[in-house]
Structures are given as structure tokens and as C-alpha cells.
Amino acid sequence: MASVDPWRLSNNIHVVLFPFMSKGHTIPILHLARLLLHRRITVTIITTPANLPFISAFLSDTSASVLPLPFPDNLPDIPSGIESTDKLPSMSLFVRFANATKLMQPHFEQALNSLPNITFLVSDGFLGWTVDSASKLGIPRLVYYGMNNYAITISADVAQNRLLSKLNSDDEPFTVTSFPWIQLTRNDFEPPLSDPDPNGPKFGFIMEQAKSTTESYGLLVNSFYDLEPQFVDYGNSHWQPKLLCIGPLCLAQELKRKSEPKPKWIDWLDRKQEQGSSVLYVAFGSQAEISEAQLHEIEVGLEKSMVNFLWVMKKKEEELGNGFEERVRERGLIVREWVDQREILGHESVKGFLSHCGWNSVVESICAKVPILTWPMMAEQHLNARMVVEEIKVGVRVETCDGSVRGFVKWEGLEKMVKELMEGEKGKMVRKKVVEVGHAAKRAMEEGGSSWKELNELINELHAMRLVPH
Ligand code: UDP
């Protein structure tokens, strides 16, 4: 580690950030932009025209530059004008969408060439091709995945030991080789990784990204060391590149207080607080696709639970037209707009979060000290849910009707666990634990904390490296 003072040198440091075009991948990178700007570092964010307004608005109070590059047009499968995964008609188009970004490479390299003195690049794990561009130009590339160390390390261990191919069924429990206290099932993994003999375009895509990750300088993780030390240590003693815990990134931005005019849901939460009522926040992220039958069970479960709830739905999840909203009017609010999730989680009245366990949502809930009712749906969310409930113990899990982790959730299994989280003994325990973990998260990001130091050391190291002529 070079002993260079980052504060003194930072005026000469320029970092280029290239987030992937989905909200869950972009938002943490925008928080990272703030962390760099706090250190008086120049930041340029690369994006596409349709993603520019969101990014510009998110960072409107900062000096970050945003550089839009054209998104490939006339693609056979991706409707014109769609430049982010949350706008895709179906997530089955994900790999084609991600592969289409490769066509941005010439523009991206032109941009890198035209920007002054780039110290390093941070680009998303789904933009693996950027490692070639960076290496052509001699720029170190750091990769950002959006996954925690638990999910990264366990996925790698399970793949390396071929544990999923030895099972008789998707729900047969097995023990993770390097972490024998952890029992999982094949259903905790997503196809194609859960396939006995994985292949096909999605598997090819994952392997490409894994290769470009190993060729990168480091892997930035939106987590903090004390949350999952054994997984960070294991990963760092077994694989390249280094796992660098620099989060929770959301803490880079102060929570907005009393934004005016207040959105109607904040007004509603204020009223609930005045009445002395607690509220369950319900949201399943920007990408999960929920069947109509499952949406119906959620409605019945929430209605029967008798709790107050604020449910943020995706626009696509239209009203089922059965009078539900009218019936729960006194104690349930349904919102179909983009909300500031952190503002909701930070509201005094919010005492629980029914979540799909996208990693950003988990981290934001921990930082707000709100316990989680986990209902994983896709991607690595099943592993996140295991981590939340079994490892860090800041949540409980919804009950599926057959006990399988991917089983259908009937209203009874939801109602029971909503009550448990909001009023039960287990709820009390996880509520107490999330307060402890929330404090630890804050300490990690404060001056002198583990994440604060990790980022400073990284900047120092790369800056010193770039000063040495090649
Ligand atoms: N989010 C938000 N408002 C919304 C929907 C989502 O602020 O109306 C944010 C949320 O706070 C989180 C991100 O979008 O930062 C979603 O990421 P996550 O990993 O939780 O789930 P994903 O959408 O990627 O499945």
C-alpha cells in the first residue's frame, strides 16, 4: 500500500463509471459517484440517452459529468427506444439486451480516448467487454456486480465442487463444502446455474462475465466487512480479483428530510405515525414478474393480516379489479409510481419490509433498521433471503404452501408471517438485531470505518500506480 494522501492528490484523479442499464445496478454506482465526489475526485458517468434523465436528476446537486453514448438501434429482439431492463417487455430478453451493449464498444473507446487522465474505470459485471477496452488503453478496470460476498462466495464454491449435479431433486438439501453450517437446495439457484449440465446463451454470457471479472483489478462489493467477514476472507484467500467492501453505498447520500411538496405516500405515512400505527412496506423491486394468481394471494394475505401497509407496485401490475383497494382503503395504500424507497424505509412509521430481497433493498432496509419479511423471486435473491434469515438474522421468511423455496405462497402463509414480523416473538428478535446491524453499517461508512478505509486505500493505490510511467 503506497502511503500517498488521497486528499492531497485527489484533484488529479478522474474516475469513469459505467453502470449497467437497470435501476438496481445503476443506483449504487451513483452513490459511489457521491463517495468519490466527497473526496474531491473528478467523476464522469457513461450512460445512454434514455438513461440520462434519471442519472442527471439523481446527481443534480453534484458536479458529476454524465456522458451519453448511443444505444444500439435496429436490434432484432429489443424494441427500439428501450435502453434499460426494467422497460423490457420480458426479462427473457435479458441476455440479448446485455449482449447488445457490446455494440457500444467503439463509441465507448472513443469516449475513453477523449477524456483526460483517467485514473480508473468502474464498470458493471454485465458489461464485461469493457475490460478489453480498458486494457487496450492501459486503464485499470474495477468491476461492480451488485451481489454480496455471501452470494458470490457460495455460488463459486457450489460451482467449483459441482454440488448441484449430485442431487436427486430441486428441493433436496445439501451442505455447502466450505461452509458446512449452510444447507441449500438447487432451488436456491437460478437457471442455468441450477441446471445439472448448464449450457445455452445465458450460461455462455455468465462465463464471459466471470472471465472478464478475473481480468479486472478488483471487485467492488456493496457491503461491509463486519456483515460477512468469513465470506470476504474466504473469497480473498481463494480467488482473484480482490473483493473490496465499500458499502453500504446508499449511506453516501443523506436521507432527504421533508421534501416539498410531499408525495402522497409520505403524507399518508405521516398520518399513520400521528395515529401511532406501524406500517409494513411492500415492494418487489423493479424487475420481478409476479403472476396474477400470486398477486391475488398477496392481496388476500395483506387484507386478512389487518396490518397497515404501503405497497409499491410496478406499473405493469395493474389493478386486479376486485375491489381490493376500496376494501383496504383505511389501512392500505397502493402506489404505482417511482418512489424514493429510502425515504419510505426511513419513515418513523415503517416497521417492516416485505421484500423480494434484491440486494439494494436488503441493504437499504438494514441501514434504515427495518426488519425484512423475505420473499425472493429471481436472480440471486434466494441466496440473499437465506443470508438475511439464517446468517445475519435480520428477517423472517414467507411460508410457501409446499415448503419449497420456490413454492407458491398462499394467503395463509403470507398472513401468518406478516403478523409474525410485525407482532410476533421472532419479529421482536429480528427487529432488535437489525438495529445492531444498522449501527455497524453506519460505522463502516464513517471516517475511519472499514468501508471508508477500503475505498481510500484503493484510490491511493491506483493513483500511485498511475503516477508511475509505464
Ligand atoms: N427503487 C426506488 N423506487 C422504486 C423502485 C425501486 O427507489 O419505486 C430502488 C430501490 O431503493 C433500490 C433499487 O431501486 O435501490 C432496486 O434494487 P434492488 O436490488 O432492491 O432490486 P431490483 O429492482 O434490482 O430487483
Side-chain angles (χ1 to χ4, degrees), residues 187 294 375 399-409:
N187 259 334
Q294 194 58 93
W375 188 343
E399 271 186 17
T400 57
C401 55
D402 60 0
S404 152
V405 296
R406 280 182 197 253
F408 190 75
V409 177

Side-chain angles (χ1 to χ4, degrees), residues 22-25 27-28 31 54 58 146 281 283-288 312-313 337-342 345 353 355-362 364 378 381:
S22 74
K23 296 289 183 292
H25 287 237
I27 290 171
H31 289 311
F54 179 81
F58 204 94
Y281 171 50
F284 302 107
S286 56
Q287 303 193 137
V312 176
M313 281 188 175
E337 287 170 60
W338 182 262
V339 298
D340 181 343
Q341 176 164 294
R342 288 186 60 225
L345 284 167
F353 182 11
S355 168
H356 70 311
C357 291
W359 183 239
N360 296 297
S361 290
V362 171
E364 289 162 12
M378 56 179 283
Q381 292 156 14

Side-chain angles (χ1 to χ4, degrees), residues 273-466:
Q273 192 187 350
E274 280 157 25
Q275 293 160 8
S277 309
S278 53
V279 176
L280 176 74
Y281 171 50
V282 182
F284 302 107
S286 56
Q287 303 193 137
E289 289 165 345
I290 306 175
S291 71
E292 207 164 286
Q294 194 58 93
L295 280 174
H296 178 69
E297 298 296 323
I298 299 174
E299 290 185 349
V300 181
L302 290 175
E303 190 172 350
K304 301 254 188 201
S305 73
M306 298 307 287
V307 302
N308 295 285
F309 64 88
L310 168 60
W311 182 359
V312 176
M313 281 188 175
K314 288 196 306 180
K315 284 208 178 85
K316 282 185 213 162
E317 291 156 3
E318 288 306 332
E319 209 177 332
L320 295 180
N322 53 12
F324 167 71
E325 293 193 47
E326 201 40 45
R327 285 198 306 279
V328 295
R329 199 157 51 96
E330 285 308 308
R331 55 183 183 84
L333 181 68
I334 294 166
V335 173
R336 291 185 180 80
E337 287 170 60
W338 182 262
V339 298
D340 181 343
Q341 176 164 294
R342 288 186 60 225
E343 187 180 18
I344 292 175
L345 284 167
H347 196 279
E348 285 294 317
S349 64
V350 173
K351 301 290 185 207
F353 182 11
L354 171 57
S355 168
H356 70 311
C357 291
W359 183 239
N360 296 297
S361 290
V362 171
V363 167
E364 289 162 12
S365 206
I366 288 173
C367 291
K369 305 184 186 82
V370 172
I372 305 168
L373 176 53
T374 69
W375 188 343
M377 307 232 163
M378 56 179 283
E380 89 292 9
Q381 292 156 14
H382 288 84
L383 292 177
N384 296 346
R386 292 263 189 198
M387 182 193 182
V388 164
V389 176
E390 295 166 12
E391 203 65 34
I392 53 177
K393 301 184 171 58
V394 295
V396 293
R397 187 172 187 132
V398 290
E399 271 186 17
T400 57
C401 55
D402 60 0
S404 152
V405 296
R406 280 182 197 253
F408 190 75
V409 177
K410 298 275 282 179
W411 66 261
E412 293 92 334
L414 178 60
E415 182 210 7
K416 177 177 161 196
M417 295 316 292
V418 164
K419 284 185 167 157
E420 184 58 58
L421 181 78
M422 300 301 276
E423 298 154 12
E425 277 310 303
K426 278 195 197 134
K428 258 191 214 148
M429 279 159 62
V430 294
R431 189 174 311 284
K432 189 161 168 261
K433 187 70 199 287
V434 80
V435 173
E436 277 170 37
V437 181
H439 281 302
K442 190 159 178 282
R443 279 197 302 276
M445 289 296 280
E446 280 166 359
E447 192 167 335
S450 62
S451 296
W452 182 89
K453 278 197 216 150
E454 187 85 289
L455 183 58
N456 275 3
E457 285 174 6
L458 176 73
I459 295 165
N460 248 349
E461 191 174 290
L462 287 166
H463 184 61
M465 197 173 98
R466 303 288 282 153

